[in-house]
Amino acid sequence: MGKVDQIYFDVHNWHARYLVIDTSAWGYGQKIWAPPCCIHQIDFDSSVVKLNLEQQKMLGSPAIDTLKPISRFQEARLVNYYGCKPYWEEANAHDALQCSSRTTSPAEVVEPEKRDRMTLHTNAVNIKVHLLSIKQAGGYTIEAVDGPIGRIRDFVFDDETWLIRYLTIDTREWWQSKSEVLLSTESVDSIDSAASTIFTTLSREAIQQRPVYLDDVPLRRMYETQFHKA
């Protein structure tokens, strides 16, 4: 069908909300948004994402321009089309990743969308960003309580809950002896999309004590245990 071009995540709780699939190499010439409820399995050995949908169903999905702001109204049309539970209505974020037969009329979310004025791809002072793509956030500066410590290079997510657990931080501009370390998203205090900066509650020293992260080595519980003890 295509290749995963982007992943959009919720800046409030770090849950991946959509895959953006680029179908141009397969001759379809469009980018398709798919929520995680459409994903059947990820085959990491083959680098293949298996969906529970047919191609024609996906090709008929509502189009969203990634270069323009996205509203709750557009999201409602999208999740309704796929028959997914709107994640913003879920009290439990994990349940938001499951398919549901219940649908919500886009009109039901217009007023909350107006009230919150939440849009994407904008740095306007009075407008909140509720979704970011990994491409957008890639390269953001990580600001510790006592100064900058690196830039985001990648993201590590849980393939069962679609929760981004860690940020991979490139620290070479700050520490010659370090390459990449992990920063838990639980340690993130806030995201400033206008300044392309993510603020953490940790100090530079605390982050410097983290074990070096090697991207080509599987992330196992033993490493996570060592990471959280640091």
Side-chain angles (χ1 to χ4, degrees):
M1 187 70 192
K3 287 191 175 182
V4 176
D5 179 62
Q6 296 191 57
I7 297 177
Y8 279 85
F9 65 91
D10 190 323
V11 300
H12 300 297
N13 53 30
W14 296 97
H15 274 90
R17 298 302 185 188
Y18 303 100
L19 302 183
V20 180
I21 304 166
D22 186 354
T23 67
S24 57
W26 276 256
Y28 298 111
Q30 66 188 83
K31 290 188 177 181
I32 297 173
W33 286 54
C37 72
C38 300
I39 297 173
H40 172 65
Q41 181 185 7
I42 301 179
D43 186 339
F44 291 99
D45 293 333
S46 303
S47 299
V48 173
V49 178
K50 299 180 181 181
L51 304 177
N52 54 20
L53 301 168
E54 296 183 352
Q55 289 184 343
Q56 290 303 314
K57 176 70 173 180
M58 297 184 65
L59 291 172
S61 65
I64 295 180
D65 188 345
T66 57
L67 299 179
K68 295 181 180 180
I70 178 175
S71 66
R72 288 287 195 230
F73 183 85
Q74 292 173 300
E75 287 191 87
R77 291 183 61 220
L78 188 67
V79 297
N80 283 348
Y81 179 81
Y82 288 118
C84 301
K85 177 76 174 179
Y87 68 84
W88 56 89
E89 292 185 355
E90 290 288 339
N92 188 321
H94 177 71
D95 293 338
L97 307 179
Q98 309 301 320
C99 286
S100 172
S101 59
R102 178 183 181 276
T103 60
T104 302
S105 169
E108 294 179 30
V109 297
V110 171
E111 289 305 318
E113 186 268 335
K114 286 182 179 179
R115 181 181 66 250
D116 296 335
R117 302 182 66 202
M118 294 188 294
T119 60
L120 176 64
H121 290 295
T122 177
N123 290 330
V125 174
N126 294 322
I127 297 180
K128 299 177 182 178
V129 172
H130 70 291
L131 293 176
L132 282 175
S133 75
I134 58 175
K135 285 188 177 181
Q136 283 179 291
Y140 270 30
T141 298
I142 301 298
E143 186 83 16
V145 293
D146 51 354
I149 51 88
R151 300 184 189 280
I152 295 179
R153 193 195 67 81
D154 211 342
F155 301 79
V156 180
F157 70 92
D158 187 321
D159 64 314
E160 294 183 356
T161 64
W162 286 88
L163 179 66
I164 296 176
R165 298 288 187 187
Y166 304 102
L167 308 177
T168 303
I169 310 302
D170 186 345
T171 64
R172 287 173 293 184
E173 293 182 35
W174 285 265
W175 300 317
Q176 297 299 322
S177 61
K178 285 280 187 177
S179 54
E180 294 178 3
V181 296
L182 291 185
L183 177 68
S184 172
T185 52
E186 294 180 352
S187 302
V188 172
D189 181 56
S190 62
I191 302 176
D192 186 340
S193 60
S196 299
T197 301
I198 289 180
F199 297 88
T200 175
T201 57
L202 301 177
S203 66
R204 289 163 56 94
E205 181 181 0
I207 296 172
Q208 192 172 17
Q209 293 175 356
R210 305 284 180 176
V212 173
Y213 174 70
L214 300 176
D215 188 49
D216 57 347
V217 177
L219 184 61
R220 303 189 184 281
R221 290 299 185 194
M222 183 178 296
Y223 178 92
E224 288 192 275
T225 300
Q226 182 184 5
F227 172 85
H228 288 287
K229 285 182 178 179

